[in-house]
Amino acid sequence: MLAVPFTIWQATIDPAVDGWATQRGLPVPELRERGRGQQAVYELDESTAMEVLDRIRRQADGLHDAVLKTRTRSWVRKAVSSVSGEPVGGQRAARRPRSGSRSVPAAAVAAVRHYLELVDTGVPPLATSGREREVVERELGEIDQRLELTDDVLARLDLLAKRRGLLGELEPAPVGTPDELEAAFVRHAGSFARKHGYDADVFAEFGVPADVLERAGLRGGHDGRADAP
């Protein structure tokens, strides 16, 4: 479960103002009164929760309210620690064993998603951040202004690096070639399928070729998985 304070949720990931959650197929959260205020509560697996937290962190960078920006960044750090079991500034905390299969690594989820998008559309998906173009352009304008005002060479270097990243958001490149996406699917599809209880027929119905399913170890042939337990 991931419980996001309502003000943070509303400013960063509310589907009414940000289409990312809808594009990712996230469920509509349940709004609950918890502790000192209202929260948007999601029932998510660990990898999806981490993806949501990364999205909130990225959106926080574009907030104009400095207090809310600071609060959001602090909350994300604590939430990541809670979800992953990794303390903010210390060693990894001991975690109670979970029942059932272990969580699917984020890399496996991304590999399956990207390859299925390739199968579905015929073209590799783009490495988009999901942020609104207007937000990115506004940040670019702010960086250009700061570049004109600073004489510190290291500050300028940092700003130029951030500017390149923002330009990449405006003109995203494919996440990989078709061969690279297929290889990643072959590597990770096994753990993803076991976690979610999918068999080869589901992937075949989606359009995944039989030889790819065989190489992924989902239907006879050589098991190409690298992340099997």
Side-chain angles (χ1 to χ4, degrees):
M1 184 181 73
L2 180 65
V4 186
F6 182 76
T7 53
I8 293 176
W9 175 81
Q10 191 175 46
T12 60
I13 202 171
D14 181 354
V17 297
D18 178 22
W20 180 88
T22 302
Q23 293 171 5
R24 288 297 187 275
L26 291 181
V28 177
E30 179 183 352
L31 300 182
R32 302 180 188 174
E33 291 292 338
R34 294 169 58 94
R36 292 179 292 177
Q38 197 175 39
Q39 294 182 332
V41 180
Y42 289 95
E43 296 292 340
L44 304 171
D45 59 41
E46 180 178 325
S47 62
T48 306
M50 294 295 284
E51 187 178 0
V52 170
L53 290 171
D54 183 64
R55 174 63 180 177
I56 293 174
R57 178 186 61 79
R58 290 175 179 273
Q59 288 294 88
D61 293 339
L63 295 177
H64 292 295
D65 185 328
V67 174
L68 181 58
K69 178 185 292 187
T70 299
R71 181 191 174 206
T72 301
R73 287 173 172 171
S74 176
W75 176 83
V76 167
R77 286 196 298 271
K78 294 176 182 178
V80 167
S81 173
S82 176
V83 170
S84 68
E86 185 76 31
V88 174
Q91 297 180 339
R92 186 174 181 83
R95 300 176 66 184
R96 291 180 294 179
R98 300 187 178 194
S99 59
S101 302
R102 59 186 175 87
S103 296
V104 180
V109 176
V112 172
R113 180 194 300 279
H114 292 156
Y115 181 69
L116 292 182
E117 289 176 352
L118 171 66
V119 170
D120 190 42
T121 65
V123 295
L126 299 179
T128 60
S129 67
R131 297 200 300 165
E132 295 292 336
R133 186 178 184 89
E134 293 77 8
V135 173
V136 178
E137 290 176 341
R138 182 171 64 246
E139 291 182 13
L140 270 172
E142 293 172 355
I143 285 180
D144 287 341
Q145 291 178 358
R146 292 168 62 186
L147 279 169
E148 293 178 359
L149 295 174
T150 183
D151 293 325
D152 186 285
V153 292
L154 293 182
R156 286 179 57 82
L157 183 67
D158 183 60
L159 288 170
L160 288 172
K162 292 178 179 178
R163 190 176 189 278
R164 288 176 63 86
L166 291 171
L167 289 173
E169 291 189 51
L170 293 180
E171 298 180 3
V175 296
T177 67
D179 287 345
E180 290 170 341
L181 299 183
E182 183 178 294
F185 177 84
V186 167
R187 178 182 177 87
H188 293 292
S191 64
F192 182 90
R194 290 194 303 277
K195 169 65 178 178
H196 293 284
Y198 298 148
D199 59 22
D201 290 339
V202 174
F203 291 100
E205 185 175 353
F206 193 93
V208 177
D211 68 302
V212 175
L213 294 176
E214 291 179 3
R215 286 190 286 118
L218 294 174
R219 175 174 286 164
H222 172 69
D223 188 339
R225 296 168 299 178
D227 52 8

